[in-house]
Amino acid sequence: LPERNMEQLVHELLIALGHSPESVVFQLGYIDVMLRDDAGEPRLVVEVKTTIEREAAREAAFRQARDYAAKVGAERFVVTDADRYEIYERSDDRRLGGFTLSDFRAGDERALDLLRPGAGA
């Protein structure tokens, strides 16, 4: 799928998890998707790629997302291809969790919960 279609899938996931449509912002300058908190402040930056299977592509997306999150002051960032999601804490680049929608497992719920409203980011 084109990257724009993947951004739409990310949007739909965030809405399904309980975020308001107004809190999910597309194409904010260089940022693919940004999630704002109730006060309108950046909560989460999402870098969407057509694939993050290869390590080089994943690392490049990681650097982009971390830099974009730092520019807007978001505490967390996500790297995704709309199927595989990796969630990070910007302050120390710590991977908080991850999951793959097409291969969702019982233990993945904790990582998915990191994207829900009120998850502490």
Side-chain angles (χ1 to χ4, degrees):
L1 292 175
E3 194 171 297
R4 181 67 179 142
N5 292 33
M6 298 171 126
E7 292 169 4
Q8 183 62 37
L9 293 173
V10 171
H11 176 266
E12 291 172 13
L13 175 65
L14 293 171
I15 300 304
L17 291 173
H19 295 283
S20 71
E22 299 79 30
S23 68
V24 183
V25 181
F26 286 106
Q27 297 292 319
L28 184 63
Y30 41 79
I31 297 172
D32 293 332
V33 179
M34 184 171 67
L35 181 62
R36 296 184 186 270
D37 63 17
D38 291 338
E41 296 298 318
R43 177 179 182 259
L44 182 77
V45 167
V46 183
E47 181 61 26
V48 182
K49 295 295 184 191
T50 55
T51 182
I52 58 170
E53 285 186 39
R54 289 174 281 123
E55 186 174 342
R58 192 170 49 256
E59 288 177 10
F62 170 90
R63 286 190 302 275
Q64 274 185 291
R66 181 191 57 209
D67 292 348
Y68 297 161
K71 285 181 182 178
V72 299
E75 293 181 20
R76 292 187 180 165
F77 60 94
V78 175
V79 173
T80 186
D81 59 11
D83 183 38
R84 182 176 172 182
Y85 288 75
E86 296 183 357
I87 305 155
Y88 297 90
E89 181 73 33
R90 182 181 53 87
S91 64
D92 57 7
D93 293 345
R94 181 172 37 104
R95 186 175 187 274
L96 299 173
F99 58 90
T100 302
L101 288 174
S102 62
D103 188 29
F104 201 79
R105 300 166 189 250
D108 292 342
E109 185 71 27
R110 187 186 75 71
L112 180 67
D113 286 346
L114 294 170
L115 299 180
R116 293 185 192 280

